[in-house]
Amino acid sequence: GGIGKWSQAPLTKEHWKEFDSVFNKVLGDVKIADPFRFFQYESVPGMPEALGECDLDTDPRTWEPYLLVMLRDGMIVPDPYFRLDGKDDRGELMDFKYNKPQLSFDECNCDGSPRYHLFVSESCPLASAVSAARTLLGLDSMISMDVADGKSGAGLVFLNGCSCVPWKGSEGPFWLYSVYQLSNSIATTLITAPVLWDTVEQKIVSNDAWEILKLMSREDDQSDLISYNDALGVILKEGLCPREQMEAIENMYSDLSNSIFNVEDVGLECIAQVGKDGRVDDNFERILTKLQELNDLLGKRRFLLGNNLTETFFAGEQSDGGDIFLAMFLFRFDACYTPLFGLKNHGAFDGSILTGASYPNLKGYSRELYHELKSTLKIQGFRQIFRLPYGIAFTRQAIRSTDASL
């Protein structure tokens, strides 16, 4: 059975509340009970509104809060990082690695549908970057894609169901955890997007945004397939990740991953108040310092690698093909990260990026990349990050409280 169906006896909402209250009171933080915490609910808590029906006036903070979950040994459990204030280890997380010797996106199933499928979420900047790259590289017809409506108490959810096999045709909603469970039934992992799915092997090819981008942009594998949708004419024929520049690209991507791309993880620690030893402040300072370094760098060139989204690097300076990734974070910085994480209160904060005067080169860079990427953006999804504090509070209260009415 599914959630809320493990008991055949009909239960009223009042009965469910009483059951949940007793469950939490008796079992408390007993770890073996964690999988039952998902199935004890009458329905999945914190379901989002349909992304297509949201606009810039939609306030996700008014939605029901969701439970933060992960998979442990293939079972959905409350994320222990939030359950016990970051004191409990999530365990050894499974690493979904690309292990196919060759990958060609022109392969189809017998019904003509693409072999490879993407699951993305517009609430995640890395997933948004992969979605944008798919369109820029002209792979829309060769890699099918589903966009999550948002997070719920069972992870990312697709309210209208899934469009790829083996779930195609099943009534929605559909949850991303099903993809992870089918790929590995005993996986211990976070339920994250993007996911590149092989519909033939029914395995996850990768859930790493950078690895997926490299697979899509590998010119020697995909040169006959790629037909760029490049509004500004700034992508070289070698793709977004030219092989001869990969060492420099990897180095800079790693650098940005430990600074700018880490802003949501650092902000999460700040909201969850699990980084009280000064680590959060140090990380925020590193992020804000990196913004100034990037602003200086972009005073010398149009993009991170020069005049194209990929180009040789200058005078030994390390650069990367991470313009799309960087842009997705910059688009969110003023509107999402600054207010949510209280960056204005940090001593290193120097002003807004898109509306202030402190980062003129980053401002120009962001606006130009917006014109290149705007057809791929679903900005209404960016603001779903504001649900995070409510999700953290709900997750803690759902387990500790003896009143499950919540």
Side-chain angles (χ1 to χ4, degrees):
I3 184 169
K5 298 178 182 178
W6 58 273
S7 172
Q8 298 302 313
L11 297 177
T12 66
K13 288 185 179 296
E14 288 70 26
H15 286 143
W16 278 105
K17 291 177 182 178
E18 183 178 358
F19 172 82
D20 291 345
S21 178
V22 173
F23 184 98
N24 287 325
K25 183 177 181 179
V26 173
L27 294 177
D29 286 334
V30 177
K31 194 171 183 178
I32 198 173
D34 282 350
F36 295 104
R37 298 187 190 282
F38 172 69
F39 291 102
Q40 80 182 52
Y41 285 102
E42 178 190 17
S43 60
V44 175
M47 293 290 283
E49 295 181 8
L51 183 63
E53 298 176 5
C54 296
D55 56 30
L56 296 183
D57 292 324
T58 303
D59 187 352
R61 294 173 297 182
T62 63
W63 302 349
E64 181 187 11
Y66 60 91
L67 190 73
L68 289 117
V69 296
M70 62 174 290
L71 287 177
R72 187 170 65 213
D73 299 325
M75 299 293 291
I76 294 183
V77 299
D79 191 333
Y81 183 85
F82 305 100
R83 182 168 68 89
L84 295 174
D85 300 340
K87 299 175 184 177
D88 192 15
D89 190 7
R90 289 165 165 163
E92 184 176 353
L93 300 181
M94 182 175 178
D95 194 4
F96 291 86
K97 285 288 189 181
Y98 167 67
N99 56 10
K100 293 173 64 65
Q102 292 183 333
L103 190 69
S104 182
F105 292 124
D106 61 348
E107 296 184 41
C108 297
N109 294 301
C110 58
D111 63 356
S113 62
R115 173 173 179 171
Y116 297 99
H117 185 86
L118 272 173
F119 295 95
V120 301
S121 168
E122 291 300 322
S123 63
C124 171
L126 296 176
S128 293
V130 168
S131 172
R134 167 179 171 267
T135 296
L136 288 180
L137 294 172
L139 294 173
D140 286 4
S141 63
M142 300 177 188
I143 306 174
S144 53
M145 186 173 76
D146 284 314
V147 181
D149 292 279
K151 289 186 177 180
S152 72
L156 287 168
V157 60
F158 304 79
L159 295 177
N160 292 325
C162 172
S163 64
C164 77
V165 293
W167 306 281
K168 184 178 181 180
S170 299
E171 184 179 356
F174 173 81
W175 281 273
L176 187 60
Y177 74 80
S178 299
V179 177
Y180 281 88
Q181 286 179 329
L182 183 56
S183 185
N184 188 308
S185 61
I186 57 171
T188 294
T189 180
L190 302 180
I191 308 168
T192 60
V195 169
L196 180 61
W197 175 251
D198 185 340
T199 64
V200 175
E201 298 291 338
Q202 297 194 354
K203 294 287 185 182
I204 292 175
V205 178
S206 178
N207 66 343
D208 182 275
W210 182 236
E211 292 297 323
I212 294 172
L213 177 63
K214 288 189 292 184
L215 289 172
M216 292 195 301
S217 187
R218 187 170 293 166
E219 188 269 338
D220 56 348
D221 291 342
Q222 316 298 340
S223 57
D224 294 334
L225 309 180
I226 293 176
S227 177
Y228 299 139
N229 294 313
D230 183 9
L232 300 181
V234 293
I235 302 178
L236 295 177
K237 68 180 182 66
E238 290 83 1
L240 297 171
C241 302
R243 189 177 297 276
E244 66 273 12
Q245 300 174 36
M246 281 309 300
E247 182 177 356
I249 290 173
E250 294 280 10
N251 287 339
M252 179 58 88
Y253 184 82
S254 176
D255 179 46
L256 291 177
S257 295
N258 291 323
S259 54
I260 304 297
F261 300 170
N262 199 35
V263 64
E264 290 196 2
D265 290 336
V266 177
L268 185 149
E269 285 191 27
C270 179
I271 294 172
Q273 297 180 334
V274 298
K276 300 177 181 180
D277 57 356
R279 183 178 67 251
V280 168
D281 284 341
D282 291 343
N283 287 334
F284 275 146
E285 183 172 356
R286 186 173 68 254
I287 291 167
L288 296 170
T289 299
K290 179 57 66 175
L291 285 178
Q292 190 58 60
E293 291 178 6
L294 290 170
N295 185 71
D296 295 341
L297 176 68
L298 292 168
K300 305 172 185 176
R301 59 188 74 170
R302 185 179 180 185
F303 299 112
L304 292 178
L305 287 171
N307 291 325
N308 299 93
L309 291 187
T310 54
E311 192 172 312
T312 55
F313 55 95
F314 293 96
E317 295 179 1
Q318 291 180 340
S319 308
D320 91 312
D323 292 281
I324 298 175
F325 288 93
L326 178 59
M328 292 301 176
F329 282 88
L330 295 178
F331 294 159
R332 293 163 167 80
F333 217 90
D334 295 345
C336 299
Y337 303 147
T338 297
L340 182 61
F341 303 149
L343 292 180
K344 287 186 178 180
N345 300 323
H346 196 284
F349 183 77
D350 202 25
S352 300
I353 296 173
L354 300 181
T355 59
S358 301
Y359 304 99
N361 300 319
L362 277 176
K363 179 192 292 188
Y365 170 85
S366 300
R367 290 181 175 181
E368 185 166 22
L369 277 177
Y370 173 77
H371 289 291
E372 178 82 342
L373 302 172
K374 63 180 179 181
S375 66
T376 71
L377 301 176
K378 293 180 175 61
I379 297 178
Q380 68 269 32
F382 292 6
R383 300 179 64 196
Q384 291 193 19
I385 193 173
F386 285 99
R387 298 182 72 198
L388 183 57
Y390 303 91
I392 292 173
F394 180 86
T395 303
R396 289 171 171 167
Q397 185 181 8
I399 296 170
R400 296 173 181 171
S401 176
T402 57
D403 176 10
S405 62
L406 301 178

